[in-house]
Amino acid sequence: MKSGGIPYRLSPERLRWSIDPTKLPAVGEKTRLPLEIIGQDRALDALRMGLDIKQAGYHIFVTGTEGTGRTTMIRRILEERKTDSPSPSDLCYVFNFEAADHPLLLTFPAGKGRDFARRMDSMVGSLRRHIPELFRGEDYQKRVGRLERHYRGAQSDAVRDFAEEARQCGLSLVETQTGPYVRPELQVVIEDEAWEITELGILVEEGKLDQETATALEASHLKLSDELKELVRSNARLEETFLEELERVMKSVIHPLIHDSIEMLKTRFDNVDVDKWLDTVEEGLLEESWIRDEEEEELVEPFYRFGVNVVVDNSRLEGAPVIIESTPTFHNLFGTIDQRHLPNGAAFFDYRRIKTGALARAQGGTLVIMAQDLLEEGMVWPTLKRVLRNRELQIQAYDVGNRMVVGPLKPEPIKLDVKVILVGDTNLYLTLLQGDPDLQRVFKMKVDFATDMRRDRNNIRRYLSFMNKVRKQDELLPLTSDGSATILEYGARLAGRQDRLSTRFSKIVEILIESDYFARQAGSAEVSMLHVDKALDERVRRFGRTEENFLKMFREGTILLSTTGMAVGQVNGLFVMEQWDYAFGQPMRITASSSLGDGDIISIERETELSGSSFDKGHMILTGFIRQRFGQDKPLSLHTSVSCEQNYVGVDGDSASAAELFAILSSISRLPIKQGLAVTGSVNQYGEIQAVGGVNAKIEGFYHVCRDRGFKGENGVVIPAANVRDLMLNKDIVQSCRDGQFNVFAIKTIDQGLHLLTGCPAGQWRTAGGWTSGSVNDLVDRRLAEMAITMKQFGDRGDSLR
């Protein structure tokens, strides 16, 4: 990698992919975006497979970065498929006349549930009007009159005969009031005054009655009391028989009307379960009290048992339902039973208060839920897994806070035929997968959305087609060819690869809208490259306040960083700071100091717990490299400490390991490092430089510091050669490199980096032994040998003293 005689320097053409606006593929005005969302063919195939498989457990978990078209594709695929599927059944709950606390579930073809409910209400309303008229009719009144005369006459005759018998015995049959009750009683009548049988002794004492008569009256009273009891029982039986006969007469009068009404419903709704329930309705209507006073109706709502609660109405649905539940709380997903209160304040649950949730409404179709929202309420996730495993939904009055059922009703479960799609990012999926083994048992299908796609002519055409479609939908100004090319290049920048294009189309839409804004502000009829660049610059300006604060601290010298000269044991490392949707590069001074010791290399970040595990791993690899290269023929008798200076918030990742190694080798060899350069890259134990992330942001971060201080012609960044294909640097950096103000170097090995940073050849291991004389590796090796001898001398001196 040589350019202009400078080793490892990249030419400006390699720092950014660009496309000639005059060579863009043509996209006609009538070009339509294909149904297959751009760049997501694999995800599309997996989604369709998951939707086609009907066996249990094949629900779908869609992963990927937000903005890649996950929800859009799901909507489009489901809309495409819904018309090919029949509309699912309506679901209705009705009163269970055999077990009131277990409401029954009836299903109807789409649209028939509402019709059935309306006709039930109409039928009951008609019966409530016409049955009282039947009771007021002449025929019914005559039949009731005959019954009353017969049974009331029989009762009266029995009472009259008994009263006459009692009179002949000197007793009188009277009715006495005891609270709300009236009961017959035998009393003695003396001189037109009634006396209780227990008061006969008083009459004897007063001389109003002789003892013999009193004794006879007591005997008669005892005998007739038994007969009176039998009379009361007999008349009660007559009353019961009368009421039974009266009920038979009432039923015989209203039954034809009720039966014909029920049969009409059966004929209209040919359904075995409906017929079975209507049979119980007929019995219930015959048993119903058709005449109530107003006070009674206020306390108990009459005829409520004959209504129909349509909980899922698909009358307006064409094809299978597609439900996207944006608020997946427990009740919104699984339904509930509302508590109601009667006028007297009593709590009451009934089948009419059953409410379904999204799962029931999606019956026969698809339910889409954002996974993160699903997990915010504790009981939702375990309940959803259980429901989907059992393929059965039980709706109950459930108190989520107290985790308990609060109502007595247990409606008939709904047999579920629904496909559930969870949408979440990859990290959430992996977290659930690690902590919940049920995830893959219930959501067997994983659909992974890619964040980028191959950059080829066909995909570029599809990209342009997408941009054209968005422009039409949002009524945006047309794009010039250089404007379109600039947005394509931004797509490559988002992808982080020169040979890829980002599939985060929400970001592309945002730039299209913002570019249109700046074009209109400028009074332009088209959106050109200038307007797109303005939108991108303003986006950096909006989100870049933190980055600007760091640059200010570099300018003021609050953060120490050298961009000129040479220094021993000191190198400029590069890190990435991420804040929400914005990332920027932050240069950081890395220093190393070495002394005699036991061969340990200490990371101050690790010792102070300011580093992550990846950073620690990268640091530990350095020890392996130094032992492998320089510890084969002598003990390593050094102590080295490495620090990322002015780091107070912590670091992670292994992208600083190459910079740390350069600082260590400089510290040991005492060779100074060029401070005009900054380094990023990880290293393995054999000195090979490995790719890192965020390379564009890292280069730009150091570039901005050097630009603020004024370029000296010696500034640049050293990156892994494996990252060259990831370069999509801003246009101003490319121009600075073209003008010789800034440089980007790519290296494959530590030795290449040592040569570049020190100006001294790294050297090669000679077959005769030893490194090339005067090389960096030679200086390091010699210094380590001196340190080993010095340590041995100190050790020998200590032994002699002992």
Side-chain angles (χ1 to χ4, degrees), residues 200-260:
L200 292 181
I202 298 174
L203 294 174
V204 172
E205 290 178 0
E206 292 179 351
K208 296 179 179 180
L209 191 69
D210 59 72
Q211 184 60 51
E212 183 180 354
T213 303
T215 301
L217 288 171
E218 287 177 344
S220 296
H221 183 276
L222 182 61
K223 173 178 174 296
L224 291 175
S225 291
D226 291 338
E227 292 181 11
L228 178 59
K229 291 178 182 179
E230 182 56 35
L231 173 65
V232 170
R233 293 192 189 99
S234 176
N235 278 352
R237 286 193 292 271
L238 284 173
E239 183 67 21
E240 185 178 349
T241 304
F242 166 69
L243 293 176
E244 289 174 354
E245 289 292 330
L246 180 61
E247 184 177 358
R248 278 194 286 271
V249 170
M250 293 175 65
K251 287 183 178 180
S252 67
V253 170
I254 66 175
H255 180 261
L257 179 59
I258 292 174
H259 181 73
D260 291 347

Side-chain angles (χ1 to χ4, degrees), residues 716-780:
V717 172
V718 182
I719 66 170
N723 281 120
V724 172
R725 63 185 179 184
D726 302 331
L727 293 178
M728 278 299 298
L729 296 175
N730 288 334
K731 296 176 183 178
D732 56 345
I733 299 181
V734 176
Q735 187 59 46
S736 292
C737 291
R738 187 171 285 115
D739 295 338
Q741 298 173 325
F742 197 77
N743 300 284
V744 178
F745 302 95
I747 60 173
K748 293 182 178 180
T749 66
I750 282 292
D751 288 340
Q752 291 176 347
L754 288 172
H755 187 189
L756 187 62
L757 290 168
T758 65
C760 180
Q764 295 182 344
W765 182 259
R766 295 174 298 189
T767 55
W771 294 93
T772 305
S773 178
S775 66
V776 179
N777 285 312
D778 181 52
L779 294 175
V780 172

